[in-house]
Amino acid sequence: MAGNQQKGRQLSEEELQELVSSSDAGARNPVGPVGMFLGVLALIWSLFQVLLASPVSNVVLPGDLINNSRQIHLAFAIFLAFMAYPALRTSPRDRIPAQDWVMAAAGATIALYGYIFYDKLVQSGGLADDTDKWFALAGLVLLFEGARRALGPAMAIIATIFLLYVFFGASDMVPEVIRWKGASLQKAMSHMWTTSEGVFGIALGVSTKFVFLFVLFGALLDKAGAGNYFIKMAFGALGHLRGGPAKAAVVGSAATGLISGSSIANVVTTGTFTIPLMKRVGFTSEQAGAVEVASSVNGQIMPPVMGAAAFLMVEYVGISYLEVITHAFLPAAVSYIALVYIVHLEAVKRNMPTLGDRVVSLGRTIGGMAVFFAGFAALCYGVKYPVGWITAAVPDGAGWVLSALIFLAYLALLWLAAQTDDLEPDDPNAEDVKLPVVGEIYKAGLYYLLPIIVLVYFLMIEQKSPGLSAFWATALLFVILLTQRPLKAIFRGGSHTANAFRDGVLDLVSGLIDGARNMIGIGLATATAGVIVGTVTLTGIGQVMADLVEFISGGNLILMLIFVGLLSLVLGMGLPTTANYIVVSSLMAGVVVELGAQSGLIVPLIAVHLFVFYFGIMADVTPPVGLASFAAAAVSGGDAIRTGFIAFFYSLRTVALPFVFIFNTNLLLIDVTVVQGVVTFVVATVAILVFTAGTMGWFLTKNRIYESLALVLVAFALFRPDYLMDRIQPPFTEVEPAGLAQALDAVPAGENMRIVVRGPDFITGEVKETTLVVTAEAGTPGAELLDAQGLALLEEDGVVKLEEPFPGTPFFDTMSGFDFYGDKPVQVVAARAAADQMPQELMFIPALLLLGLIAFLQRARMSREGVPA
């Protein structure tokens, strides 16, 4: 397949659907009784997951079924994987060989091992006996084979390498820097299969509780027709602008990417319409594919789903879901704004024609879209007031009243939709492309927004769990799929309501089956990634990775971050978003935190996880693997490798943003006021547009080299005003370690004191440093505060030594890597308090003046050359 794409052959519609199905849902589709059986099995899986997420799960489902839901989840996934994904390219697609039936049954049975022998494993404390360990090993082999089929070889190979490291980590063949003592088969299998440290760990738990419902929600929403509606609305709003198809591709992919867990499916779903139209107005095949790749992959960084990584971050970072999506929103939003600007600059540079004969104002279009999104956000937020009034008025029956009101709103919007024709997919290759008019089609799908409003309301306002929120939104979609066809028929005066209802039932069943099939790969990915997580916790390789990165980077913070980014990129190659995030965060997140602290950079954990996540998903773009780039090339007929490189160039702002928010956490809206948040958004948007203009070589007109460099400098100043201000005024005042407690007394409440600690490493004995942050508290003397943190200081021979913190104190885990009983003491070598400094925002003034100067020079040059403004 890849070879064909690289030669520039454009795939047919059937081949494209096979590409999507083979990557996301399985290439095999048997018919007859076997096909019926698999469809029923997928349907049962979806219904089980919906019931598990429902408020009545504790009443309807037995307790042992709920307690072992991870095992049941994996059993469904592994059985369907062997059914839906053929072993080889030459394997049959229309039937299932006997060996696949055997492996499917064996894999599902062993996945249920913990459920079947629950009492036995509990009594043994999860320790595998001689029988358990062989079943566990067979389970891992079958899991890896299922993952190879569903996800490609990369995931299975990586997991196998990590498992071999568990067994043979003590071998002389292993480099000394990563060598460890190794583990027996019994210990390894206990860790990986019979406890919740490996396969059945946090990742599979998140897949079971949250991810399935969101994938199902996306599948049902698409089955209802929302995907086509979003694309048509995007083309109606932007298609007539210069480079309009590309701008519409970005917005349409953003809308579908919000609920999609697959960048490949996003590329093919929206790309089959957007890419031919982009080529029509002047984009090359590779550029058209690259725009679609960049916008589709960006959908994975946009809340609320983020390719299911958002739910994993809740567990790994230990913060609420609301906080995760709050922190992730701003970088994703400015990244999409920059991508729209990129395609605008490409269109201007090439003087591309517009589609159609309708004259559309860019300003009015942007204003209209801004008003729509602001109105939608206000609606989602404002719903809480009438809900609060109803809850106060009828506390016992509020649920029924609210359900009735939602249904009435649905009826009203559906009646509105029935006044227009149903939206049919357009042919992008038609001779005369008639782009939709927003004013004529918007009514056709307004009711699709209701499930999204319900989802956002429960997540953001009620702050319910993601699983319960997705359940209520999915329940509304059940109603929509069952009733939209017959109710439209009634509103239009038709007489075929029974047939319409039957079609609605078929739509619902088909959506439930599609949701289950789309989850096969994600279920196996989270289970297989659990082996990697288990290896990290069992062997302590995370510390080894930190030492390796520190050695290669020479302790330089920027080089360290670049190297971590590259490692995340390599580790993410060939992996779906969910598995990608689990792997890179397990190995790399701790590295950034530890080495950052050694360099005096205190990085919030969410910033670190987003950093490695951004670089991990770039593997979908970057050759030689770049799965999304290969999919786009299959649609466009362009060269896959060239498409990948252009897409990476378009994604430079996605590469730059992680470096920005590591140093400037305001971009993640961490500890900022509402006013600061608005200012941060405006400044970050201007900065990313200026950065884009600098890297694209075009601002108002073609840049001179010095103008491009100046634009990048302006962007840096807007993103990192603190860096420039720190050069003018030092951010910290040095404090003598001996006077640390007294200096802490003078620090205002809520302000931080940074304490630099140096001492021998517990394992290697080499001297290392780390930075601790102590926050002053009102009314608490500095000495008491240090004791409460576990920092017992002892001054001897002019050196302030630090005693080992007691277990349970805040810095016990942080300091556990130091050897407090060696020949060299662990000591406080420096302390720094925040100094009075001018507002860093003053740096915006020279940056904006320089930007104005560049604009003045380019306008003058345009006037001399007779170029219209």
Side-chain angles (χ1 to χ4, degrees), residues 48-223:
F48 167 73
Q49 294 287 165
V50 171
L51 196 56
L52 186 66
S54 73
V56 297
S57 59
N58 291 328
V59 178
V60 177
L61 297 176
D64 57 344
L65 211 63
I66 296 174
N67 293 336
N68 293 281
S69 56
R70 297 180 188 183
Q71 283 84 349
I72 295 167
H73 183 79
L74 181 59
F76 274 113
I78 203 167
F79 187 91
L80 289 172
F82 283 104
M83 296 290 100
Y85 292 89
L88 303 168
R89 288 180 181 272
T90 56
S91 299
R93 299 294 197 268
D94 57 345
R95 62 181 179 83
I96 300 171
Q99 64 269 22
D100 283 1
W101 282 102
V102 172
M103 286 189 284
T109 303
I110 299 174
L112 292 170
Y113 193 84
Y115 174 55
I116 298 168
F117 298 101
Y118 180 76
D119 292 335
K120 171 192 171 185
L121 294 175
V122 168
Q123 290 173 6
S124 66
L127 184 65
D129 60 22
D130 286 337
T131 303
D132 300 335
K133 70 182 182 184
W134 293 112
F135 272 101
L137 183 60
L140 284 177
V141 172
L142 290 169
L143 173 63
F144 290 177
E145 168 59 13
R148 181 194 69 80
R149 295 184 181 203
L151 307 168
M155 188 79 213
I157 291 171
I158 292 173
T160 302
I161 291 171
F162 274 81
L163 193 61
L164 290 174
Y165 175 69
V166 169
F167 293 131
F168 304 110
S171 169
D172 292 338
M173 297 175 63
V174 176
E176 189 173 352
V177 67
I178 61 171
R179 196 175 298 166
W180 85 297
K181 62 181 180 180
S184 66
L185 179 63
Q186 186 173 8
K187 182 178 180 180
M189 292 303 101
S190 298
H191 195 80
M192 296 298 178
W193 198 268
T194 61
T195 69
S196 59
E197 295 293 329
V199 169
F200 298 99
I202 289 175
L204 189 62
V206 170
S207 178
T208 305
K209 289 191 296 181
F210 306 142
V211 178
F212 193 106
L213 262 291
F214 277 86
V215 170
L216 181 61
F217 176 79
L220 293 177
L221 195 60
D222 186 61
K223 183 62 68 175

Side-chain angles (χ1 to χ4, degrees), residues 23 147-148 150-156 158 264 525 568-577 579-580 616-622 624-628:
S23 63
R148 181 194 69 80
L151 307 168
M155 188 79 213
I158 292 173
I264 297 171
S568 300
L569 190 65
V570 171
L571 289 169
M573 284 184 176
L575 304 184
T577 305
N580 179 320
I617 65 166
M618 288 305 297
D620 265 359
V621 177
T622 313
V625 178
L627 299 179

Side-chain angles (χ1 to χ4, degrees), residues 49 208 233 254 308 340 365 408 470 628:
Q49 294 287 165
T208 305
M233 286 291 287
V340 173
T365 299
L408 287 174

Side-chain angles (χ1 to χ4, degrees), residues 842-863:
L842 289 175
M843 292 294 102
F844 295 157
I845 297 174
L848 294 175
L849 287 175
L850 179 56
L851 180 62
L853 176 62
I854 298 168
F856 174 78
L857 292 174
Q858 292 204 353
R859 281 192 177 278
R861 192 159 69 246
M862 291 167 68
S863 297

Side-chain angles (χ1 to χ4, degrees), residues 28 30-40 83 94-96 101:
R28 188 185 279 150
V31 295
V34 173
M36 178 69 72
F37 168 72
L38 296 181
V40 170
M83 296 290 100
D94 57 345
R95 62 181 179 83
I96 300 171
W101 282 102

Side-chain angles (χ1 to χ4, degrees), residues 399-456:
W400 294 105
V401 173
L402 291 171
S403 298
L405 289 175
I406 291 172
F407 189 72
L408 287 174
Y410 165 60
L411 286 178
L413 292 174
L414 196 64
W415 176 84
L416 198 64
Q419 308 311 304
T420 64
D421 294 332
D422 290 337
L423 301 179
E424 298 293 336
D426 293 318
D427 179 10
N429 298 308
E431 277 190 34
D432 182 24
V433 177
K434 183 174 174 57
L435 294 179
V437 179
V438 171
E440 297 174 0
I441 68 166
Y442 77 96
K443 295 183 291 186
L446 282 177
Y447 64 95
Y448 294 135
L449 299 179
L450 278 176
I452 300 173
I453 291 173
V454 169
L455 178 66
V456 172

Side-chain angles (χ1 to χ4, degrees), residues 291-324:
V291 169
E292 186 59 53
V293 169
S295 51
S296 295
V297 170
N298 249 42
Q300 308 299 293
I301 66 175
M302 178 66 84
V305 179
M306 297 166 61
F311 315 116
L312 290 160
M313 287 181 190
V314 170
E315 302 292 334
Y316 289 157
V317 182
I319 60 179
S320 71
Y321 175 79
L322 179 60
E323 290 176 289
V324 169

